[in-house]
Structures are given as structure tokens and as C-alpha cells.
């Protein structure tokens, strides 16, 4: 009879403790031996070589978030093609027709968002 005994979990607990100890040790050591030089230049916000302007908490356009969501949506749908490609020969014509239907729906959705002008950055 196989049962999960506590000693079977010792390697996992040991590895977790070792990883947590390494993280804690690294944080403490970098805090102790790290440089403590502060200046106005180091304290100023800096991004991509461009001086920051205005408030960092200014609202972004909803269009930005809509495009990000669409990217994730289409990216996740494309991921479903990988298992199909791996099993392409074993699925036969039925699998091919199913993927053709999937791609048709995918392209219909893509055509819809293009017709709605969601990806058009020029409009206000």
C-alpha cells in the first residue's frame, strides 16, 4: 500500500527552505554592502532616455487596454493551434476541417475588429 509519508516530502521542503534562505541571504547582503549614494539625478524618474513630463498617474486611453486585451485574446487562440499541428497526421481530414472552421471564426473576429476601427490609432 502506497501512502504519502512525511519523510517523502523532505526533499521538497529542503529545496524550498534552501531557495527561501538564498533569497533572504541575498536581500540582507545587498542591503548591507550595497552603495548608499543618493543624489537628485539618481532620485529623478527616468524612462528610455526621455525626460518625464506631467503626472505619472495620468489616465491612458481605453483604446490602449482594448488593443492589449485583443492581443491576449488572439494570442491565446493561436496557442490552440500548436496541439493540432503536433497531432496533424493522426487527426486526418476531420481535424483539418475543424481547424479550418476555427481559423475561419478567428479571421471573422479579426475582420470584425478591423471594420469597427479598433486598431486605428489615428481616430480620436
Amino acid at each position: 500500500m502506497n501512502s504519502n509519508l512525511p519523510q517523502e516530502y523532505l526533499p521538497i521542503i529542503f529545496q524550498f527552505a534552501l531557495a527561501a534562505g538564498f533569497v533572504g541571504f541575498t536581500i540582507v547582503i545587498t542591503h548591507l554592502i550595497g552603495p548608499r549614494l543618493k543624489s537628485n539625478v539618481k532620485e529623478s524618474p527616468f524612462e528610455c532616455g526621455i525626460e518625464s513630463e506631467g503626472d505619472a498617474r495620468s489616465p491612458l486611453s481605453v483604446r490602449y487596454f482594448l488593443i492589449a486585451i485583443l492581443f491576449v485574446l488572439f494570442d491565446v487562440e493561436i496557442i490552440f493551434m500548436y496541439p493540432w499541428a503536433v497531432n496533424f497526421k493522426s487527426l486526418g481530414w476531420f481535424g483539418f476541417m475543424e481547424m479550418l472552421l476555427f481559423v475561419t471564426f478567428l479571421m471573422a473576429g479579426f475582420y470584425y475588429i478591423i471594420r469597427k476601427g479598433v486598431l486605428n490609432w489615428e481616430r480620436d
Side-chain angles (χ1 to χ4, degrees), residues 16-120:
F16 181 75
L18 189 66
F22 176 74
V23 169
F25 175 75
T26 305
I27 289 173
V28 169
I29 290 299
T30 55
H31 180 70
L32 293 176
I33 65 173
R36 291 180 181 80
L37 302 174
K38 292 186 178 184
S39 67
N40 287 338
V41 175
K42 285 190 175 187
E43 298 286 327
S44 67
F46 179 79
E47 184 175 339
C48 302
I50 301 170
E51 288 292 327
S52 59
E53 297 176 8
D55 187 16
R57 289 168 184 81
S58 62
L60 292 173
S61 172
V62 172
R63 193 173 301 121
Y64 171 79
F65 296 105
L66 185 60
I67 289 176
I69 289 170
L70 288 172
F71 171 76
V72 170
L73 178 70
F74 281 100
D75 199 36
V76 167
E77 288 178 351
I78 295 298
I79 289 172
F80 284 120
M81 290 183 178
Y82 180 74
W84 171 78
V86 169
N87 297 315
F88 176 71
K89 287 185 180 180
S90 65
L91 293 174
W93 282 103
F94 178 74
F96 178 73
M97 296 309 268
E98 290 289 325
M99 186 50 70
L100 193 62
L101 185 66
F102 177 76
V103 170
T104 302
F105 284 134
L106 186 68
M107 289 298 112
F110 191 61
Y111 177 74
Y112 176 77
I113 65 170
I114 288 176
R115 292 290 294 170
K116 283 291 193 178
V118 172
L119 301 177
N120 186 6

